[in-house]
Amino acid sequence: MPQWSNRRWLSRRASVAKPLVLLILLSLCTASLRDGKSAFSSDPGVARPHGQLFNKDRPAHLVHISSYSSREESARRQTVDELDRALRREGVALLALRDVRDAAQTALDFWAWQLSKLMETTPKAEWPQSNVGLLWPDGTEMYSHPHFVAYIEPDGRSHPAKLPSELTNLLDGVRSDVLPVFEDMLERGLDLPSGSMAGEMSVVKAVVHYYPEPTKEETLLTHAAFHSDDSMLTLNFESVAGMHSLHAGAHGGPSIRRLTYPEDADESMCVNLFVGGYLQSLSQGLWKSLIHSGSNPGHSDRVSITLFLGIASLDQLVGAAHGGTRSRQEAAIYELLTAMRQEGCKTAASLKFACVRAMYQVGNDSVQRCKPFSHLLGVGGK
């Protein structure tokens, strides 16, 4: 039996915005912001100073989607409507998903064993220098840990061509048991004909993160930590709850909180689902992307497997329109959080954070001139 199989782990873990108003807000976001120094309490779940940058941990809304395909039609409608409401409200939902639980746990255990062993036997300088497969980035503090990156074509081909069976089994389970839920949600949310989205969504990228040590809280405030994903939707499987969201706080400025699990939830079944920037762009803000950051808040190691979901017929269009949006958003968030730490200017922060959240909606003519989702997909609305 493989060595990793016996490893024991900690619990696994709307309206449409008006483009003119958003453009005006963006035009006001030009002031440069000054650097500041961090000074935080490290106690989890405790509100911190500096404009309430850190807030209490909070679980996302839990939606049960296990055995979705075997449910009655009315039950499926209720499920996707519940999921739709959660994503429109928060940009994130927690999925209770029994169907792929075993495959996910096996994959998490495998990657934790594989990457920890590589760290022990291979010096960082000898890791491959590429953008696919095994790598250890060194560009930013937040991402300076071992990764595995794979790009996946709509027909199932991958780069690298050979994926570990543990990851392949998880991908197969997601395609058969999870993606149909999201396709149905988009159909109902956009009032598209039944079946028009069937088979349209696919996993386009898989990234494994291995955090060998706890993440310092200050690292969440470094450059490139918080961002939206270049995806339609993003699935995140994790061994320990370590995702943080950046939401509007009480005064409209940014507020950081860790996404945890409900006390009565079976943590082995919990999976994070985020709205990506591409869906925010194409839906004109009907769904707003989750600005988030991963970390390791525990006392041991943490592994996560993130699956980026796309729609092949639309990804090229929106990708061309927003090729640099993520990096611009990362830079703007870093400047904003730095200024909040030093100045705590709530009024200015509220305005600037609204600009940051709107970056995937405005400022790009090719997307703003797009016809509705249904026309892009080549189908007619109801």
Side-chain angles (χ1 to χ4, degrees):
M1 181 174 290
Q3 182 177 352
W4 50 265
S5 63
N6 292 322
R7 184 179 180 112
R8 295 184 61 84
W9 288 96
L10 297 173
S11 296
R12 280 194 54 234
R13 294 330 274 171
S15 61
V16 177
K18 303 300 187 292
L20 179 59
V21 175
L22 293 171
L23 284 169
I24 294 172
L25 289 175
L26 283 174
S27 70
L28 298 175
C29 295
T30 57
S32 61
L33 304 171
R34 301 195 299 273
D35 289 339
K37 295 182 179 180
S38 61
F40 302 103
S41 164
S42 60
D43 295 334
V46 178
R48 280 94 172 171
H50 304 292
Q52 292 290 315
L53 273 180
F54 284 87
N55 216 317
K56 294 182 179 180
D57 297 349
R58 175 181 165 187
H61 181 75
L62 181 65
V63 182
H64 294 264
I65 67 170
S66 300
S67 305
Y68 174 81
S69 61
S70 63
R71 299 181 187 181
E72 298 289 337
E73 182 178 355
S74 59
R76 292 199 302 272
R77 286 199 301 267
Q78 291 176 359
T79 298
V80 297
D81 288 347
E82 180 185 4
L83 179 59
D84 186 13
R85 288 192 298 269
L87 293 179
R88 294 194 196 201
R89 184 173 60 248
E90 298 281 351
V92 57
L94 191 64
L95 306 180
L97 185 56
R98 183 184 304 108
D99 307 276
V100 299
R101 175 176 56 185
D102 291 344
Q105 189 62 60
T106 299
L108 289 167
D109 288 350
F110 166 77
W111 282 113
W113 172 79
Q114 174 84 344
L115 293 173
S116 65
K117 289 300 180 185
L118 281 171
M119 286 188 68
E120 294 175 4
T121 59
T122 307
K124 182 177 179 180
E126 297 180 12
W127 280 58
Q129 300 297 313
S130 66
N131 62 350
V132 297
L134 292 167
L135 60 146
W136 193 334
D138 199 25
T140 61
E141 183 178 355
M142 174 54 73
Y143 296 105
S144 185
H145 55 254
H147 291 56
F148 179 85
V149 178
Y151 293 87
I152 303 161
E153 303 289 344
D155 61 6
R157 291 178 299 157
S158 65
H159 309 279
K162 180 67 173 177
L163 300 180
S165 60
E166 293 80 6
L167 180 57
T168 299
N169 292 338
L170 176 59
L171 292 173
D172 289 342
V174 167
R175 292 183 185 110
S176 62
D177 297 320
V178 184
L179 297 190
V181 183
F182 306 155
E183 292 167 347
D184 287 354
M185 184 198 73
L186 291 178
E187 282 181 6
R188 285 185 58 79
L190 296 166
D191 199 27
L192 297 175
S194 177
S196 59
M197 285 293 300
E200 290 284 347
M201 186 162 281
S202 62
V203 180
V204 299
K205 184 179 179 181
V207 178
V208 180
H209 292 268
Y210 178 65
Y211 298 83
E213 299 175 348
T215 304
K216 295 180 180 179
E217 192 169 68
E218 290 82 359
T219 305
L220 289 168
L221 305 177
T222 59
H223 182 263
F226 278 97
H227 60 276
S228 296
D229 289 332
D230 283 339
S231 66
M232 295 292 178
L233 294 167
T234 301
L235 274 173
N236 172 257
F237 301 84
E238 54 185 354
S239 61
V240 177
M243 300 305 303
H244 289 74
S245 68
L246 192 67
H247 278 84
H251 299 277
S255 177
I256 299 171
R257 72 167 185 254
R258 185 167 70 102
L259 298 174
T260 55
Y261 307 140
E263 292 183 0
D264 58 347
D266 181 349
E267 296 183 5
S268 68
M269 292 169 50
C270 291
V271 183
N272 296 307
L273 176 66
F274 311 145
V275 174
Y278 286 5
L279 183 56
Q280 177 177 354
S281 175
L282 284 173
S283 70
Q284 292 288 286
L286 191 64
W287 294 280
K288 291 181 174 60
S289 62
L290 180 74
I291 300 176
H292 64 280
S293 180
S295 71
N296 179 14
H299 300 292
S300 183
D301 50 7
R302 173 180 179 264
V303 63
S304 72
I305 301 174
T306 304
L307 305 182
F308 300 86
L309 312 181
I311 299 174
S313 58
L314 303 180
D315 283 349
Q316 185 174 4
L317 168 69
V318 71
H322 286 289
T325 301
R326 172 170 167 167
S327 61
R328 291 192 298 271
Q329 188 182 68
E330 289 173 342
I333 291 170
Y334 173 65
E335 292 180 352
L336 176 56
L337 294 180
T338 298
M340 286 288 293
R341 292 164 62 191
Q342 179 175 348
E343 303 167 6
C345 183
K346 296 176 181 178
T347 302
S350 175
L351 177 62
K352 294 177 186 297
F353 190 49
C355 299
V356 168
R357 298 184 73 192
M359 283 184 169
Y360 276 92
Q361 285 176 241
V362 299
N364 196 291
D365 292 341
S366 64
V367 172
Q368 293 302 310
R369 290 197 302 264
C370 282
K371 295 180 179 180
F373 227 102
S374 58
H375 290 271
L376 291 171
L377 289 167
V379 298
K382 290 181 180 176

